[in-house]
């Protein structure tokens, strides 16, 4: 047993210090980024925000809505072969949509079948597991990269620099960062395992960028200000679940409570998800997610505009004309947790 005493920070532990700016308006801020991926060699241009591959968020409808704003989506894993083939067959050339998969033989064979039919329309893949530290995960990543050298691969989740480096060297173009910070994730409570998300982003970004790789901050963002902090900490992409949940484009079940319409939203390791997709919680594991009811929020467009407006505003406060400049112009100021608790700040 050992204890690391170095300070680790979460989004609520810091604020961004304002700096002198020559920007006259939020409208002057450019939020699009351009990337060239280390392994696939593919080029990307768009707003680097991705809808999470949760079955209530990562839907065909969400992908279509976000593409209008140049945002990306990661589809959930539970669509059938024919549905995926039809979707990718009609995908616009400028849309960024990730095919999501696990690491079982069945996952690989399903991807092989769909990719064979859809061809180059599938250019982005998200290899998604809760624990990215296992040998099985690394072996699968190496196999996938060898078989599909021109596909851009996002893989995770991890929270430490050394593992981010390993995944990049093993074939990941983008490393997905985050264990336990999601609003409907209970991994930290059930296992005691995790890492404060802002420090995970900072450390993994530093490691990944040194090798020409990128990172995607996955989980923990509950406001536009959290996205600004994640980008300021070095995140190249940000994946959102709860902030995009509850909208018309989601697939959560709608119920009525006290005369109000609510939508079910749950983590993909929750009992609700495992009952739906795996026939229940296996005897050897525990649920590591929860289910909540959210207000039905209508079309996602208004929420997207609010998120993008908040990030643009953050850029104006520090004088960043482009999103890519935000991390260079960010200085974090630590805030006292006890004051947050007393005054209810976040």
């Amino acid at each position: 047993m050992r204890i690391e005493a170095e300070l680790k920070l979460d989004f609520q532990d810091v604020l961004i210090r304002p700096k002198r700016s020559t920007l006259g308006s939020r409208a002057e801020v450019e939020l699009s980024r351009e990337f060239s991926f280390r392994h696939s060699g593919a080029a990307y241009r768009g707003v680097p925000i991705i809808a999470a591959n949760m079955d209530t968020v990562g839907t065909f409808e969400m992908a279509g809505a976000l593409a209008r704003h140049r945002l990306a989506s990661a589809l959930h894993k539970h669509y059938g072969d024919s549905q995926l083939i039809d979707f990718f067959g009609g995908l616009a050339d400028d849309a960024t949509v990730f095919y999501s998969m696990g690491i079982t033989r069945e996952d690989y064979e399903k991807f092989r079948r769909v990719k064979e039919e859809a061809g180059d329309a599938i250019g982005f893949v998200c290899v998604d597991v809760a624990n990215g530290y296992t040998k099985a995960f690394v072996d699968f990543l190496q196999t996938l990269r060898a078989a599909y050298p021109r596909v851009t691969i996002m893989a995770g989740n991890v929270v430490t620099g050394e593992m981010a480096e390993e995944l990049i060297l093993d074939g990941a173009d983008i490393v997905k960062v985050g264990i336990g910070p999601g609003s409907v994730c209970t991994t930290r409570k059930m296992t005691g395992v995790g890492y404060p998300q802002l420090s995970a982003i900072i450390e993994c970004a530093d490691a990944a960028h040194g090798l020409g790789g990128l990172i995607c901050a996955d989980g923990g963002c509950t406001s536009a200000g959290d996205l600004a902090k994640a980008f300021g900490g070095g995140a190249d992409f940000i994946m959102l679940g709860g902030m995009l949940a509850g909208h018309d484009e989601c697939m959560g079940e709608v119920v009525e409570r006290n005369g109000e319409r609510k939508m079910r939203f749950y983590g993909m390791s929750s009992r609700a998800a495992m009952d739906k997709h795996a026939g229940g919680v296996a005897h050897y594991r525990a649920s590591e997610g929860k289910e909540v009811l959210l207000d039905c929020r209508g079309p996602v467009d208004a929420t997207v505009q609010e998120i993008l407006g908040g990030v643009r505003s953050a850029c104006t406060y520090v004088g960043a004309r482009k999103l890519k400049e935000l991390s260079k112009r960010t200085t974090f100021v630590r805030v006292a947790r006890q004051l947050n608790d007393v005054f209810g700040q976040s």
Side-chain angles (χ1 to χ4, degrees):
M1 183 275 293
R2 62 188 296 266
I3 296 175
E4 291 187 12
E6 182 182 353
L7 179 69
K8 304 297 179 184
L9 300 169
D10 231 323
F11 293 132
Q12 66 266 33
D13 296 318
V14 301
L15 292 170
I16 297 173
R17 191 180 75 184
K19 295 180 178 179
R20 181 75 170 85
S21 173
T22 59
L23 286 165
S25 166
R26 295 173 179 84
E28 298 177 32
V29 176
E30 175 57 64
L31 294 183
S32 287
R33 294 290 312 269
E34 295 184 9
F35 297 115
S36 178
F37 299 108
R38 170 185 164 124
H39 294 286
S40 70
Y44 165 89
R45 179 176 173 80
V47 180
I49 297 172
I50 307 171
N53 57 331
M54 309 170 80
D55 67 359
T56 53
V57 177
T59 65
F60 294 153
E61 294 79 8
M62 183 65 75
L66 295 189
R68 295 195 295 269
H69 300 274
R70 296 190 297 167
L71 275 64
S73 296
L75 299 177
H76 67 72
K77 305 174 187 178
H78 304 289
Y79 283 119
D81 292 25
S82 61
Q83 292 175 297
L84 290 163
I85 292 167
D86 289 345
F87 172 80
F88 280 104
L91 190 65
D93 291 340
D94 59 350
T96 302
V97 180
F98 288 79
Y99 176 104
S100 297
M101 62 193 303
I103 61 171
T104 66
R105 177 174 293 277
E106 290 76 14
D107 290 321
Y108 186 87
E109 288 302 316
K110 177 182 177 182
F111 174 69
R112 184 188 57 76
R113 293 191 304 269
V114 174
K115 175 67 171 166
E116 188 173 287
E117 293 291 331
D120 292 340
I122 300 180
F124 295 84
V125 173
C126 174
V127 183
D128 181 49
V129 297
N131 179 4
Y133 289 80
T134 67
K135 184 177 185 300
F137 175 65
V138 171
D139 290 345
F140 184 90
L141 175 59
Q142 292 172 340
T143 299
L144 185 67
R145 170 53 68 202
Y148 298 96
R150 310 315 298 173
V151 167
T152 299
I153 299 176
M154 176 166 63
N157 283 32
V158 300
V159 290
T160 52
E162 66 271 13
M163 200 64 200
E165 290 176 337
E166 179 168 346
L167 295 185
I168 289 166
L169 293 173
D170 288 328
D173 296 291
I174 310 166
V175 174
K176 200 143 69 80
V177 175
I179 293 180
S183 61
V184 287
C185 181
T186 60
T187 294
R188 294 177 180 180
K189 179 179 178 180
M190 292 301 298
T191 69
V193 176
Y195 209 92
Q197 183 69 343
L198 180 59
S199 285
I201 291 167
I202 292 169
E203 294 170 25
C204 289
D206 181 63
H209 294 165
L211 293 173
L214 304 173
I215 71 158
C216 176
D218 178 20
C221 289
T222 60
S223 65
D226 290 341
L227 273 81
K229 293 172 186 178
F231 283 131
D236 303 293
F237 293 86
I238 296 175
M239 182 171 277
L240 298 179
M243 289 185 69
L244 298 178
H247 291 94
D248 293 351
E249 296 81 3
C250 298
M251 295 298 289
E253 179 188 359
V254 176
V255 298
E256 288 220 4
R257 288 290 187 273
N258 300 320
E260 297 182 342
R261 295 176 73 246
K262 304 281 187 178
M263 186 178 291
R264 296 189 186 277
F265 175 54
Y266 47 81
M268 295 309 293
S269 291
S270 67
R271 180 174 295 278
M274 286 188 278
D275 284 346
K276 182 176 181 180
H277 300 297
V281 182
H283 71 277
Y284 55 83
R285 64 173 299 173
S287 165
E288 293 180 24
K290 63 181 179 180
E291 178 181 336
V292 298
L293 290 177
L294 303 176
D295 292 336
C296 290
R297 304 167 66 187
V300 76
D301 299 270
T303 296
V304 170
Q305 294 290 1
E306 183 175 313
I307 290 170
L308 299 185
V311 176
R312 282 195 184 93
S313 187
C315 289
T316 66
Y317 272 106
V318 298
R321 290 185 176 273
K322 298 180 179 181
L323 181 60
K324 66 180 293 185
E325 300 172 4
L326 183 55
S327 63
K328 297 181 178 67
R329 296 193 59 82
T330 292
T331 299
F332 288 120
V333 179
R334 285 184 60 201
V335 294
R337 278 292 191 99
Q338 61 267 31
L339 294 182
N340 287 344
D341 294 339
V342 169
F343 295 109
Q345 300 171 358
S346 60

